[in-house]
Amino acid sequence: MLIDTHCHIHESDYPVDIDVVIEHAQKAMVKKIICVGTNVEDSCLALELAKKHDGIFASIGVHPHYANKSLDEFLDFAKTVEFNKKTIAIGEIGLDYHYPDSPSPEEQFLLLKQQIELALEHNLPIIFHVREAYDDFWKVLDSIKSDKPIRGVLHSFTDSIENMQEGIRRGFYISINGISTFTHDKLQKQMYNSIPLDRLLLETDAPWLTPYPLRGKVKVNEPAFVKEVAEYISKSRDVSFEEISKATTANARNLFKL
Ligand SMILES: [Zn+2]
């Protein structure tokens, strides 16, 4: 069995009917799916979908793109949420310096810190989104004063081997998706192959990042296609598909208590 630890199929414009998505996922042995919120409204949609379907789970959070407007709204909303077997994490949260019109680093730091504190308060794992911002990200983590460890995953990881290893040193999981199947960047490929198996998670980030060989052949990515990511990594590491699926499923269960 496989677990898609990160997708956005709850979004209102996701073009495939949910029953079809679930049927495809089951055929591909993808038995659990985590829907990840990016703002308050979107987190609500993730919660609703998780409530309706057995194998679907929700994570709530505000993506750094919304850092300049959503903090108070989110903290109020979070007070109304009951964290339970279906509402399992805080995320996706983090830092993103990719787009020039993003909220300022200071606004992003504040939002990130408050949400990490919320996760610590509820003993929840965190789904981190960090893009072109790892130096500042480690500093923000170091600035948090807590006796509890910050547990989580660095989602859609594409950064350097050094930052991957720093993530491992801090006890994080590293999650990879379709990018690992179609990148031509040699260093990135090397990095993907050197993630320790006991720290590796799989995701689709659907509707984006359809993996090879389906890329360009299907209209949109689906949780079922996490199987293609697993197959690709199994070939590139010369490790059996069973070993990859067993390890990544155990890791996801361990982090998210699925
Ligand atoms: Zn995402």
Side-chain angles (χ1 to χ4, degrees), residues 6 8 36 38 92 129 155 205 208:
H6 190 118
H8 301 276
V36 184
T38 54
E92 55 188 295
H129 167 107
H155 126 83
D205 212 8
W208 302 287

Side-chain angles (χ1 to χ4, degrees), residues 101-112:
D101 60 343
S102 294
S104 72
E106 289 69 28
E107 286 168 315
Q108 296 194 33
F109 296 163
L110 184 66
L111 179 71
L112 172 60

